[in-house]
Amino acid sequence: MTAALAAALALGAAGCVPVDEPDAPPSDSGGNAAQKLAQLAVANAGSMKGYSRERFPHWRDTGKNCDVRDSVLKRDGEDIRLSGCNVVAGRWESVYDDRALTDPSDVDIDHMVPLANAWRSGADEWDDAKRGDFANDMDRPQLIAVSKSSNRAKGDQDPSQWKPANRSFWCQYAENWVTVKHHWRLTVTNAEKAALTDMLEGCTWASKP
């Protein structure tokens, strides 16, 4: 059983249903993080003309009075307490800054590749339905529960502009970023690719198939 299927079954048992992705791009062709990074097209960051968060519809419903945010909080937390399908308490480890959080209001759901960054790297050419698939993607490492403060500090910056304060998460952060951009066929800038290359260099698993 795959991790994605196990997660979907767990959510279904709790009264939520998995997110539909009817028009998602083809699945990844495999390969390690370094190989996938090499396959990404390099381009200058595009214009922000026409951008708004509303062009990436989120959060989608995943059950009665439950949405993708609740599903990610449930997936990433421990000792979760629910009111219906809403997460009202639990414990989360914010891997960006190595903080333990117990109040859901202190937790943000971060888009690994920020919506504005995606817009500048190719998503401006998508329709809103595809952008919605991207913004609610729970099959890739695109959504992660982290501290509100670290998410706000990151903003829409790429790894050449911002990295997690928790250096022990850099390898996973770089791999996750590359995985998302590779799957959704988004571009990277020269500076972004250089930063990701540096982050992956010390990761022994990054060069394994």
Side-chain angles (χ1 to χ4, degrees):
M1 181 182 294
T2 66
L5 178 58
L9 292 174
L11 289 174
C16 296
V17 295
V19 179
D20 291 330
E21 290 188 303
D23 299 314
S27 60
D28 294 327
S29 58
N32 59 56
Q35 289 173 336
K36 289 179 180 178
L37 178 58
Q39 294 167 4
L40 294 179
V42 176
N44 293 330
S47 169
M48 288 294 288
K49 182 179 180 180
Y51 169 79
S52 80
R53 288 178 66 83
E54 285 67 38
R55 301 298 302 274
F56 293 81
H58 64 290
W59 304 107
R60 286 180 178 164
D61 291 340
T62 54
K64 185 176 181 181
N65 197 32
C66 176
D67 60 22
V68 168
R69 172 180 163 82
D70 292 303
S71 297
V72 177
L73 285 172
K74 189 183 306 179
R75 182 199 68 192
D76 290 357
E78 298 179 352
D79 302 323
I80 299 297
R81 283 175 33 211
L82 302 173
S83 175
C85 199
N86 296 128
V87 176
V88 296
R91 177 182 172 84
W92 296 267
E93 297 293 334
S94 174
V95 290
Y96 286 179
D97 48 7
D98 199 23
R99 290 179 56 199
L101 307 167
T102 56
D103 185 343
S105 67
D106 292 330
V107 181
D108 271 2
I109 305 305
D110 179 50
H111 289 95
M112 173 60 58
V113 175
L115 305 183
N117 181 281
W119 180 273
R120 295 191 296 269
S121 54
D124 61 321
E125 298 180 356
W126 302 346
D127 60 24
D128 286 0
K130 183 173 179 178
R131 283 188 283 263
D133 292 339
F134 174 81
N136 294 278
D137 185 3
M138 290 186 64
D139 292 328
R140 261 63 53 187
Q142 166 65 345
L143 300 173
I144 183 173
V146 296
S147 69
K148 183 182 296 184
S149 58
S150 65
N151 184 44
R152 306 298 164 85
K154 174 184 175 182
D156 66 352
Q157 300 177 95
D158 69 48
S160 71
Q161 303 160 318
W162 184 91
K163 298 177 180 66
N166 178 18
R167 292 179 66 96
S168 67
F169 189 65
W170 281 16
C171 287
Q172 191 65 55
Y173 188 82
E175 183 193 30
N176 291 353
W177 185 282
V178 170
T179 296
V180 172
K181 284 221 160 177
H182 185 272
H183 178 83
W184 290 94
R185 300 176 184 172
L186 296 169
T187 62
V188 290
T189 65
N190 279 312
E192 179 183 350
K193 184 173 183 177
L196 289 163
T197 300
D198 287 344
M199 293 173 78
L200 290 171
E201 274 186 352
C203 310
T204 55
W205 46 262
S207 60
K208 295 180 180 179

